[in-house]
Amino acid sequence: MPESGQKTTQGHITETASGPDTATAAGPAATAPGPAATPAVAAARRTGLLVTLVLGGLTALPPLSMDMYLPALPEVTGALSAPAATVQLTLTACLAGMALGQLVVGPMSDKWGRRRPLLIGMVVYVLATAVCALAPTAELLIGFRLLQGLAGAAGIVIARAVVRDLYDGVEMARFFSTLMLISGVAPIIAPLIGGQILRITDWRGVFHVLTVIGVLLTLVVWRFLDETLPAERRHEGGVGEALRTMKGLVTDRVFAGYMLTGGLAFAALFAYISASPFVVQEIYGASPQTFSLLFGLNSIGLVAVGQINGKLLIGRVSLDKALGWGLGTILVSALALLLMTSGVFGEVGLVPVAAGLFVLMSAMGLAMPNTNAQALMRTPHAAGSASALLGTTSFLVGAVASPLVGIAGEHTAVPMAVVQLTCAVLALACFLGLCRPWQSAAAKTPAGPETA
């Protein structure tokens, strides 16, 4: 967004997709053809593969921090003499930290550029992760996981902001799908790595490995990621302007619709992430290695559908239509999981439940990249703040969903399915009620000038 006090006229950013409801976004100064081709931006585009790998590494850090630790959850409950609900709070704390940290780092990156806040955050992440490996109690582990999440938020929010700096329109939506291919490797290999680590050491070894990964990623960012936000496009205001900018974004009905839709879909995903170690290992008696294999297969489904979205659907169907397909599939699979886990079909084994989870995870490949692209296309001049709101909403809703899946204990999967179905219904309601995908582009664009 422009600086406080300046006014711009609402315009249109239109995709070359088929149909009258082609995914079109609007926002302040949206008539601009895209990010200015400064020397740094032009250089980043020329080295697209390298930038993709770096940004993929940054977006892979959250699933690495979460998923590599998942096979160790049952072991942590015994090692720290804590109940499952308390140990699940170590996931919630990290997730809440990543949510709140984005609210700080996003506006900082709009004011000071992308590179400096990112490097500071990465250094703190490394230190917090190293301390997690030494935590003697569940309470201290929860505290340091919160700090780990706060620092790790820099990678999440700034990676999305850099994409918005470099790309626009359909090109940006395709890049998000490509980024999902890179970052999607993390949830595939993270539980596998975690399961193998547990064969040779205890759960603390997982945090030792994460510390090494954090150090390597920090060095890669320092060496290869240049600044993508030139000085003339930065905001000079302080906290007040940042709050006004975020208020303007939240009160934009369509942006808020995509933000809530993406956040609720992510909550359904995180309900699976939080509950699946206990569902697969405790209820169905699978080994940590089997759980890791199933988790990896589900992640492959998510990545594969994300690539279908980026390579085949974008440019042929509207982003809203692809998003609607994804939300509908998530809802149907969540309903099937609830029926299976509640005994409507009698006693079912691991295979049908795993199949339902696979379909739900795969459909996220349509929901997540398209909600991000649609929301960010409306905010060409406040990418950091918009990215922060998107990420914060997703992580906060996910943090609320995490403890709910264990509310009935470790021996039933019904709470997981109930949370997933509730999130899917609410996500679809927000998409239809706020985004109104059947409307034309002009109808979805706020009329008249707007003060940033």
Side-chain angles (χ1 to χ4, degrees), residues 123-372:
V123 170
V124 177
Y125 172 88
V126 169
L127 296 176
T129 305
V131 176
C132 283
L134 306 175
T137 65
E139 290 75 18
L140 285 176
L141 180 59
I142 291 171
F144 286 117
R145 287 282 279 176
L146 176 64
L147 180 60
Q148 182 191 41
L150 288 168
I156 310 168
V157 66
I158 291 179
R160 279 195 301 262
V162 168
V163 173
R164 188 62 186 91
D165 291 339
L166 300 178
Y167 301 100
D168 202 1
V170 172
E171 191 178 19
M172 179 172 63
R174 285 189 175 131
F175 190 90
F176 273 123
S177 292
T178 301
L179 204 60
M180 181 171 287
L181 174 62
I182 306 298
S183 62
V185 173
I188 295 173
I189 66 173
L192 298 174
I193 296 173
Q196 296 307 311
I197 291 173
L198 293 178
R199 296 171 69 98
I200 59 176
T201 184
D202 61 5
W203 62 273
R204 298 181 188 275
V206 174
F207 288 105
H208 291 309
V209 174
L210 285 173
T211 301
V212 174
I213 292 173
V215 171
L216 294 176
L217 187 55
T218 302
L219 293 175
V220 168
V221 169
W222 175 76
R223 176 65 179 83
F224 295 109
L225 187 62
D226 295 326
E227 181 59 63
T228 60
L229 186 66
E232 62 270 16
R233 291 178 54 204
R234 297 177 189 176
H235 293 184
E236 297 300 330
V239 176
E241 182 184 350
L243 292 176
R244 286 192 296 272
T245 298
M246 288 189 174
K247 179 182 177 182
L249 293 171
V250 172
T251 54
D252 176 358
R253 173 179 56 80
V254 180
F255 176 86
Y258 288 120
M259 178 181 69
L260 292 173
T261 299
L264 289 163
F266 182 83
L269 170 65
F270 198 75
Y272 157 75
I273 293 174
S274 182
S276 58
F278 297 98
V279 171
V280 175
Q281 297 179 77
E282 301 294 333
I283 297 178
Y284 292 100
S287 67
Q289 288 71 38
T290 300
F291 162 73
S292 300
L293 176 62
L294 291 176
F295 197 94
L297 289 174
N298 291 341
S299 300
I300 290 174
L302 187 152
V303 172
V305 173
Q307 294 313 293
I308 291 173
N309 176 71
K311 305 298 183 183
L312 299 179
L313 297 183
I314 293 177
R316 293 178 173 85
V317 300
S318 71
L319 297 187
D320 278 340
K321 185 175 293 186
L323 175 56
W325 291 345
L327 294 175
T329 304
I330 292 170
L331 191 150
V332 171
S333 58
L335 178 60
L337 284 167
L338 178 59
L339 295 176
M340 286 188 288
T341 57
S342 60
V344 172
F345 299 132
E347 183 138 358
V348 298
L350 177 60
V351 173
V353 173
L357 292 173
F358 176 81
V359 174
L360 186 145
M361 281 282 286
S362 298
M364 295 293 172
L366 293 176
M368 293 194 296
N370 292 329
T371 51
N372 283 335

Side-chain angles (χ1 to χ4, degrees), residues 1-2 99 101-111 114 157-158 160-162 164-165 229 235 237-250 255 259 375-376 378-393:
M1 280 192 178
Q102 292 183 67
L103 288 177
V104 177
V105 177
M108 283 173 57
S109 73
D110 282 339
K111 181 177 181 179
R114 314 301 186 200
V157 66
I158 291 179
R160 279 195 301 262
V162 168
R164 188 62 186 91
D165 291 339
L229 186 66
H235 293 184
V239 176
E241 182 184 350
L243 292 176
R244 286 192 296 272
T245 298
M246 288 189 174
K247 179 182 177 182
L249 293 171
V250 172
F255 176 86
M259 178 181 69
L376 286 174
R378 298 182 66 83
T379 59
H381 298 294
S385 297
S387 177
L389 286 172
L390 290 173
T392 297
T393 302

Side-chain angles (χ1 to χ4, degrees), residues 367-443:
M368 293 194 296
N370 292 329
T371 51
N372 283 335
Q374 288 285 65
L376 286 174
M377 278 192 289
R378 298 182 66 83
T379 59
H381 298 294
S385 297
S387 177
L389 286 172
L390 290 173
T392 297
T393 302
S394 296
F395 281 86
L396 282 181
V397 178
V400 171
S402 175
L404 293 178
V405 300
I407 199 170
E410 306 171 24
H411 305 294
T412 175
V414 171
M416 177 191 72
V418 170
V419 171
Q420 289 174 329
L421 181 60
T422 302
C423 291
V425 170
L426 292 176
L428 190 59
C430 289
F431 176 58
L432 297 177
L434 297 177
C435 302
R436 301 174 188 175
W438 60 85
Q439 289 185 339
S440 65

